[in-house]
Amino acid sequence: MASATSPLTCSASDLAPLLGATANATAAAAFLCSRFTAISDRFVDTSYAVDNTYLLFSAYLVFAMQLGFAMLCAGSVRAKNTMNIMLTNVLDAAAGGISYYLFGYAFAFGSPSNGFIGKHFFGLKEFPSPLADYSFFLYQWAFAIAAAGITSGSIAERTQFVAYLIYSSFLTGFVYPIVSHWFWSGDGWASPARTSGPLLFSSGAIDFAGSGVVHMVGGIAGLWGALIEGPRIGRFDRSGRSVALRGHSASLVVLGSFLLWFGWYGFNPGSFLTILKAYGTEGDYYGQWSAVGRTAVTTTLAGCTAALTTLFSKRLLVGHWTVTDVCNGLLGGFAAITSGCSVVEPWAAMVCGFVAAWVLIGCNKLAERFKYDDPLEAAQLHGGCGAWGLLFTGLFARGGYVDEVYGGHGRPHGLFMGGGGRLLAAQIVQILVIAGWVTATMGPLFYWLHKMKLLRISGEDEMHGMDLTRHGGFAYAYTDEDDQSLRAGVMMRKVEPASASPIGQPQFSPSAV
Amino acid sequence: MASATSPLTCSASDLAPLLGATANATAAAAFLCSRFTAISDRFVDTSYAVDNTYLLFSAYLVFAMQLGFAMLCAGSVRAKNTMNIMLTNVLDAAAGGISYYLFGYAFAFGSPSNGFIGKHFFGLKEFPSPLADYSFFLYQWAFAIAAAGITSGSIAERTQFVAYLIYSSFLTGFVYPIVSHWFWSGDGWASPARTSGPLLFSSGAIDFAGSGVVHMVGGIAGLWGALIEGPRIGRFDRSGRSVALRGHSASLVVLGSFLLWFGWYGFNPGSFLTILKAYGTEGDYYGQWSAVGRTAVTTTLAGCTAALTTLFSKRLLVGHWTVTDVCNGLLGGFAAITSGCSVVEPWAAMVCGFVAAWVLIGCNKLAERFKYDDPLEAAQLHGGCGAWGLLFTGLFARGGYVDEVYGGHGRPHGLFMGGGGRLLAAQIVQILVIAGWVTATMGPLFYWLHKMKLLRISGEDEMHGMDLTRHGGFAYAYTDEDDQSLRAGVMMRKVEPASASPIGQPQFSPSAV
Amino acid sequence: MASISCSSHHLAGLFGPNTTDPTAAAAYICSAFTSVSNSYKDTQRAVDTTYLLFSAYLVFAMQLGFAMLCAGSVRAKNTMNIMLTNVLDAAAGGIFYYLFGFAFAFGSPSNGFIGRHFFGLKDIPDDGNFDYSNFLYQWAFAIAAAGITSGSIAERTHFVAYLIYSSFLTGFVYPVVSHWFWSSDGWASAFKTSDRLFGTGVIDFAGSGVVHMVGGIAGLWGAFIEGPRIGRFDHSGRAMVLRGHSASLVVLGTFLLWFGWYGFNPGSFNKILYTYGQPGQFYGQWSAVGRTAVTTTLAGCMAALTTLFGKRILSGHWNAIDVCNGLLGGFAAITAGCSVVEPWAAIVCGFVASLVLIGCNKLAEKLRFDDPLEAAQLHGGCGAWGVIFTALFAKEEYVAEIYGSGVHHGLFMGGGAKLLAAHVVQILTIVGWVSITMGPLFFILHKLNLLRISQEDEMAGMDLTRHGGFAYVYHDDDSQKHGVQLQKIEPAATIPSS
């Protein structure tokens, strides 16, 4: 704002002498200057309105990703666990909303603060301020719940619902906000826009929309959860060979993937937060609006390249044209470009997507070898491709774009673009720090839940599916025609074996459906 | 832009003599004028930001139509081909992204160029320019993939995947961009906004959002594909009677139709590209923002009328209230209004929708008579209703609106609105040219694929469904509980009848799921 | 705009005779200011229209949400039927609202009861008050009301009855209610310039009463007159569960509704480029819009969590469907007050809303009232709570910013009871008006045997008997066709137990 308004200022004491001999020079100058001040104020209003419109609609798109996650997860698990996984996705959003309001946002962006954790705006107290508005809170909340959504995929189909509630609140309310404070807040120790101290390696880590902050955090948390729980029953047979446990609906997987793609246009371009900002001279056709468009283009190209690479690689490796693999490849490309989307050229985005597809394939091979079971490939996809994305930014970030987006001149940029190794060093530090922090917090949590027997469901529950045993029934009833009550009875028998009547009455209230 | 900035210019050399006797007239004038220049620049920035925000979010909505197509197609085919059709929709978007980036956009909008084909901006080189920004590229890409999506519906359930990849790249990368160059680029020979030569019939063809450029191109390409392939096995019985091959999920059809409706609000109103533009006097309540709203209203009313007309007609003709038919009618109304949405009155949109519903019903009758099989009625819907839409614009375009949208005074407009026959003549030329061009390019391509035995799958594959034979398995697994591996084995047996073991090992790698 | 306006007469006086040509200089400068002012007006309109249009698109997406929610909540055999009604809500609503609904609602100037201009969008746009974008936005609201009602009477209603009530509701009943509370001429509107109800008028910002209660109460009468579905209550009167056929569609629909609600509530400001107090401040309508999105989110989140734990205690399950309904109940409740309450109050609103919903459901069960989607309980009950909630918790500062001074604020916030009185009147009026219009309509349809389908049709499912076939064909191999589907109707088929 400040830079935009300055040349419009008008000082009556400057203008009056210029008008000098007029009848009432002071009054004339005051008259004119008051008009200019009014115009300047009007522009301030306009830019607030435009920027908030932009940010709010971006936040809505990011929120739509939660729907995408829900559908992707639902389609990727077996039908008997659909209700369970969808419930966790709804609660990510709901519990995340409350905890991010109460303290998560304060930990992340409560400035002024130290480099480690924020300490203002608990419960949105003294909000809004000139620095942050409600739309920014909403936007950040949508990001926070995305991280928890990623993790839920890794531990799907075998985790107790209570464990889910605990880790989700902890991740959204504490682990994730602190990471976002480090890299995105003006006070964060590794932020490239740090104002309260020197930049890390004079550069700061560039994680524009969160390959590390969101995707790696979610992916590594999932990695530990899935590792501690062990694979699902039947995922590896007695001789140790891997057996595919197919999801129950490819339509839902495609629906979810497209919704995530749709929402990613809020995630990446939206991370500019404002759109009405000139770069360099005012009145020029090139400004932040153009950079926003470029970010949408790089995002698109990275995903497209990754999808095509996956298609042909899988055709060669497996022999099938598989839509679910293509969808995962696509998402891997998006997760990778998220870090550098605003500071790379479109052709570099294609490089990013190409490598991301191979990173994902490699991680999946590795996971299979180590008998690691992740129903949604979430750790591989968001952890692996997210880490590649951070490296990619350190290699391909273009100097001019970095200067425009983060301010300053001659900032360190990508190694391959002639910007030296400082940015790359900062990116590597970011990868290590995120991996370490999430491991140090989420690892013990999952281990403790495991020891308390709160993490994994019983083998019997797992065989029957959690929907029957925990969530009041199966998600689908396509074939029940008139034997509805019979079917409900059959299902309930499984839950309560004591029920004597062959056609048991449903025990739960009708409104439970 | 020009209209917004011109009256705000302030020339110090004009103003200084007027201030004359003041102490320092030149300095005072320079002072004042510099302020006005700053204001003018600020308005330029603001309008770039507002217009880009508008265009980007419109592009996101148009992209959501790809999801709509995917769901509509998935629901309209039989369950055994669901994976196949969804994969083609994902790849439309992905392959389209790459090819449109590399050369499609250059062919379409690479100005300055000749009337036939563009020749700049390959790989977005020297982009952005004052004429076009990244947001415009993104918007046009979303349009390009829509055309390919239409065609995929016509040839669903019986086409080899490789054939699909070939025609899709060719259509998105070459056939469609050239058509869009003719009618939408400032250099195009039939463009109503042509700047590099005389307008066709002093009018140019008005195809505002692409009834012809997008829908007819996709529909006619599909017509040739489906015609050369022939109908699906079982579509017409031995005595030649038509047998309905029902899609597997009406829910997906409705989901897809609503998503397309949602996305159409980006497709039609978004085609204005800018929203901050005054018509006539500045500061008036009427301007492009109002025309954008009117376009959304005409779009809505055309679709609504077509849906209702279809509902009652089908009730009379068939005896059922059929939701899938109503959805198709709705989409037919949208495809028809797309051409004239910005230049007709709301009441005319209702006429458009009413006729579109009958055009679709007529085309379907005709298709049945000629034993033409199009699983999604795509050729009838997008080709037939699209052509009607072009005629409709030639009949009902209102003079005042045409002048506002395309500039100029007293331009030829609709025949029924007293605008003479020149616009109608241009529209008829457009229909003929598009039909001819697509036939001349896509017809031989499909024929060549047919001769190379690359077009149609084998009868055996078609009976089993492509999901099993080509895409690694069925899209749905609702009932598999613990006999997962057994089931997978059964499925694979169909592919490889040699497999002897009763419980076959899945042949595909676990990461394939 | 006043402060940019420039009077060349006044300015020429200031320049005085020493300037070579003071009149021309002043005119020159002032014309520049006038064009600045005009450009600014254009900018304002473009920004506000962009905002309103995209909000309208989001609200429209709610219709998709309703369709998916309804489809998932009914049995598979009635899926085509319910989805068709949702498509037609939007389509028929579009035509009727264009022809006269919008005119009844906002055709000003008019009396307090009903509007009478803009039939068929004549004279739209009019001088900056109403533009096409306003029509589109209000249309999306109107079809939402009809969508609510369709849920209540699902699975047992004649399609023709559906067409009749839907047109009547969207074209007449709903527009009149929205005229009362939202038009500047409406007798109970807080936007009224004088003679406001109890000196304050009703604050129903985005329509807990106008949209949700109208839809919910219409559904209540419909479902009440039709009676419960076959098999919903057994011979001894105990409630049986008729489970919906797809929880995935329910969750999909719920998330889409949540997504669309960001157009419904924050979008109801209609404008975003509007200053509160002094221009040039960071705080203005753009901030209030953001706050509204936040209160909406928090109310829904809290209601979902409360329902989760409440139902766990009551029924022993972690039930996704119930959580979704609780969530929507929270949204329906916050809709009235979303713009004028603090975020913490929204949490209170959501907490109570979920208890209201649970209570209403218990009551419905006791009274043997069958509503397949809980629409009457959810939209009627939680909507009414939302109207009350606003009268208790509306904050003075926010009310003044949005409605101007003179409108009262919440009882618990020290604003006295006048607002509460007005809101109680709103609830009673809406209940009364919808009952005397929709009640007789449903009763006539019932008497003419146009309301409820035959028992046979109901058992077989309407998709087979009325809509040309079942919605799903998953296991069609090559012998597909109607034979397999029709077997399901013929009870000869044995069902292998799962």
Side-chain angles (χ1 to χ4, degrees), chain A residues 32-46:
Chain A
L32 289 170
C33 284
S34 75
R35 291 330 179 252
F36 285 118
T37 309
I39 292 168
S40 171
D41 284 348
R42 229 34 82 74
F43 274 119
V44 173
D45 289 354
T46 305

mmCIF file of all heavy atoms in Angstrom, chain A residues 32-46:
data_model
loop_
_atom_site.group_PDB
_atom_site.id
_atom_site.type_symbol
_atom_site.label_atom_id
_atom_site.label_comp_id
_atom_site.label_asym_id
_atom_site.label_seq_id
_atom_site.Cartn_x
_atom_site.Cartn_y
_atom_site.Cartn_z
ATOM 1 N N LEU A 32 -7.174 21.941 -3.553
ATOM 2 C CA LEU A 32 -6.665 20.928 -4.477
ATOM 3 C C LEU A 32 -6.119 19.724 -3.732
ATOM 4 O O LEU A 32 -6.375 18.573 -4.078
ATOM 5 C CB LEU A 32 -5.586 21.545 -5.370
ATOM 6 C CG LEU A 32 -6.110 22.546 -6.405
ATOM 7 C CD1 LEU A 32 -4.955 23.278 -7.072
ATOM 8 C CD2 LEU A 32 -6.947 21.826 -7.456
ATOM 9 N N CYS A 33 -5.360 20.002 -2.694
ATOM 10 C CA CYS A 33 -4.721 18.880 -1.995
ATOM 11 C C CYS A 33 -5.736 18.000 -1.299
ATOM 12 O O CYS A 33 -5.540 16.786 -1.205
ATOM 13 C CB CYS A 33 -3.698 19.406 -0.994
ATOM 14 S SG CYS A 33 -2.208 19.945 -1.839
ATOM 15 N N SER A 34 -6.817 18.594 -0.791
ATOM 16 C CA SER A 34 -7.818 17.747 -0.140
ATOM 17 C C SER A 34 -8.412 16.786 -1.152
ATOM 18 O O SER A 34 -8.732 15.646 -0.843
ATOM 19 C CB SER A 34 -8.906 18.601 0.493
ATOM 20 O OG SER A 34 -9.756 19.112 -0.508
ATOM 21 N N ARG A 35 -8.552 17.264 -2.422
ATOM 22 C CA ARG A 35 -9.059 16.370 -3.457
ATOM 23 C C ARG A 35 -8.098 15.216 -3.700
ATOM 24 O O ARG A 35 -8.497 14.071 -3.835
ATOM 25 C CB ARG A 35 -9.277 17.124 -4.767
ATOM 26 C CG ARG A 35 -10.404 18.157 -4.813
ATOM 27 C CD ARG A 35 -11.524 17.817 -3.899
ATOM 28 N NE ARG A 35 -12.604 18.772 -3.892
ATOM 29 C CZ ARG A 35 -12.854 19.606 -2.883
ATOM 30 N NH1 ARG A 35 -12.072 19.652 -1.825
ATOM 31 N NH2 ARG A 35 -13.910 20.388 -2.929
ATOM 32 N N PHE A 36 -6.827 15.536 -3.760
ATOM 33 C CA PHE A 36 -5.853 14.476 -4.022
ATOM 34 C C PHE A 36 -5.796 13.475 -2.875
ATOM 35 O O PHE A 36 -5.654 12.270 -3.085
ATOM 36 C CB PHE A 36 -4.468 15.075 -4.291
ATOM 37 C CG PHE A 36 -4.350 15.695 -5.646
ATOM 38 C CD1 PHE A 36 -4.078 17.048 -5.796
ATOM 39 C CD2 PHE A 36 -4.521 14.929 -6.790
ATOM 40 C CE1 PHE A 36 -3.981 17.622 -7.050
ATOM 41 C CE2 PHE A 36 -4.423 15.494 -8.047
ATOM 42 C CZ PHE A 36 -4.156 16.850 -8.182
ATOM 43 N N THR A 37 -5.931 14.008 -1.657
ATOM 44 C CA THR A 37 -5.937 13.092 -0.519
ATOM 45 C C THR A 37 -7.145 12.151 -0.597
ATOM 46 O O THR A 37 -7.029 10.945 -0.343
ATOM 47 C CB THR A 37 -5.988 13.884 0.787
ATOM 48 O OG1 THR A 37 -4.964 14.865 0.747
ATOM 49 C CG2 THR A 37 -5.790 12.971 1.982
ATOM 50 N N ALA A 38 -8.281 12.736 -0.964
ATOM 51 C CA ALA A 38 -9.480 11.904 -1.068
ATOM 52 C C ALA A 38 -9.288 10.817 -2.108
ATOM 53 O O ALA A 38 -9.661 9.657 -1.903
ATOM 54 C CB ALA A 38 -10.686 12.771 -1.431
ATOM 55 N N ILE A 39 -8.683 11.211 -3.225
ATOM 56 C CA ILE A 39 -8.459 10.203 -4.276
ATOM 57 C C ILE A 39 -7.529 9.113 -3.779
ATOM 58 O O ILE A 39 -7.764 7.913 -3.983
ATOM 59 C CB ILE A 39 -7.880 10.884 -5.525
ATOM 60 C CG1 ILE A 39 -8.917 11.794 -6.156
ATOM 61 C CG2 ILE A 39 -7.407 9.846 -6.533
ATOM 62 C CD1 ILE A 39 -8.365 12.723 -7.207
ATOM 63 N N SER A 40 -6.500 9.536 -3.103
ATOM 64 C CA SER A 40 -5.542 8.562 -2.583
ATOM 65 C C SER A 40 -6.215 7.584 -1.624
ATOM 66 O O SER A 40 -5.981 6.374 -1.683
ATOM 67 C CB SER A 40 -4.413 9.321 -1.902
ATOM 68 O OG SER A 40 -3.585 8.444 -1.220
ATOM 69 N N ASP A 41 -7.075 8.125 -0.737
ATOM 70 C CA ASP A 41 -7.803 7.251 0.191
ATOM 71 C C ASP A 41 -8.692 6.286 -0.575
ATOM 72 O O ASP A 41 -8.809 5.111 -0.217
ATOM 73 C CB ASP A 41 -8.677 8.094 1.119
ATOM 74 C CG ASP A 41 -7.854 8.769 2.193
ATOM 75 O OD1 ASP A 41 -6.668 8.399 2.330
ATOM 76 O OD2 ASP A 41 -8.375 9.662 2.859
ATOM 77 N N ARG A 42 -9.323 6.793 -1.606
ATOM 78 C CA ARG A 42 -10.193 5.951 -2.392
ATOM 79 C C ARG A 42 -9.411 4.783 -3.007
ATOM 80 O O ARG A 42 -9.899 3.659 -3.101
ATOM 81 C CB ARG A 42 -10.804 6.810 -3.487
ATOM 82 C CG ARG A 42 -12.279 6.776 -3.735
ATOM 83 C CD ARG A 42 -13.149 6.577 -2.545
ATOM 84 N NE ARG A 42 -13.399 7.784 -1.806
ATOM 85 C CZ ARG A 42 -14.204 8.748 -2.200
ATOM 86 N NH1 ARG A 42 -14.833 8.681 -3.343
ATOM 87 N NH2 ARG A 42 -14.398 9.792 -1.449
ATOM 88 N N PHE A 43 -8.182 5.074 -3.420
ATOM 89 C CA PHE A 43 -7.365 3.996 -3.983
ATOM 90 C C PHE A 43 -6.991 2.969 -2.922
ATOM 91 O O PHE A 43 -6.906 1.774 -3.211
ATOM 92 C CB PHE A 43 -6.096 4.561 -4.633
ATOM 93 C CG PHE A 43 -6.299 4.997 -6.043
ATOM 94 C CD1 PHE A 43 -6.091 6.304 -6.417
ATOM 95 C CD2 PHE A 43 -6.712 4.091 -7.009
ATOM 96 C CE1 PHE A 43 -6.299 6.713 -7.718
ATOM 97 C CE2 PHE A 43 -6.915 4.491 -8.309
ATOM 98 C CZ PHE A 43 -6.710 5.810 -8.666
ATOM 99 N N VAL A 44 -6.756 3.457 -1.723
ATOM 100 C CA VAL A 44 -6.475 2.509 -0.636
ATOM 101 C C VAL A 44 -7.665 1.582 -0.451
ATOM 102 O O VAL A 44 -7.520 0.358 -0.389
ATOM 103 C CB VAL A 44 -6.149 3.271 0.666
ATOM 104 C CG1 VAL A 44 -6.021 2.299 1.820
ATOM 105 C CG2 VAL A 44 -4.887 4.090 0.495
ATOM 106 N N ASP A 45 -8.848 2.167 -0.405
ATOM 107 C CA ASP A 45 -10.056 1.353 -0.269
ATOM 108 C C ASP A 45 -10.160 0.335 -1.405
ATOM 109 O O ASP A 45 -10.444 -0.838 -1.194
ATOM 110 C CB ASP A 45 -11.311 2.236 -0.301
ATOM 111 C CG ASP A 45 -11.446 3.065 0.952
ATOM 112 O OD1 ASP A 45 -10.635 2.866 1.873
ATOM 113 O OD2 ASP A 45 -12.345 3.911 0.998
ATOM 114 N N THR A 46 -9.935 0.841 -2.610
ATOM 115 C CA THR A 46 -10.072 -0.041 -3.770
ATOM 116 C C THR A 46 -9.131 -1.219 -3.670
ATOM 117 O O THR A 46 -9.512 -2.358 -3.900
ATOM 118 C CB THR A 46 -9.788 0.738 -5.062
ATOM 119 O OG1 THR A 46 -10.648 1.868 -5.112
ATOM 120 C CG2 THR A 46 -10.008 -0.130 -6.273
#
